[in-house]
Amino acid sequence: MSTIKPWYLSRTIWASIVTVGSAAATIFGVPVAGLDNAALTETVLQAVTAISGIVAIFGRVGAVSRIG
């Protein structure tokens, strides 16, 4: 592994976040028995991908310098 990617693009990180979130929800009494953690992780990852794309677009539109 020689390539480096941002932490927010890691499926392992998002799966861990979903797992911790599910555990925390159980502690606070939220029923999570019917949730599919794999599907939830995939949905969260897709949302993060969409949000990062939107941020990139707005970043480029609002930029004051050209890419060189």
Side-chain angles (χ1 to χ4, degrees):
M1 272 191 221
S2 62
T3 59
I4 297 174
K5 65 180 175 182
W7 68 269
Y8 54 84
L9 295 180
S10 171
R11 289 179 184 257
T12 304
I13 295 295
W14 285 107
S16 299
I17 289 171
V18 169
T19 301
V20 170
S22 296
T26 302
I27 290 170
F28 292 112
V30 177
V32 293
L35 290 178
D36 179 12
N37 278 343
L40 185 57
T41 299
E42 189 63 31
T43 301
V44 169
L45 185 60
Q46 289 173 356
V48 167
T49 302
I51 290 168
S52 65
I54 290 169
V55 169
I57 290 170
F58 282 117
R60 186 64 249 164
V61 169
V64 294
S65 301
R66 65 185 191 111
I67 298 173

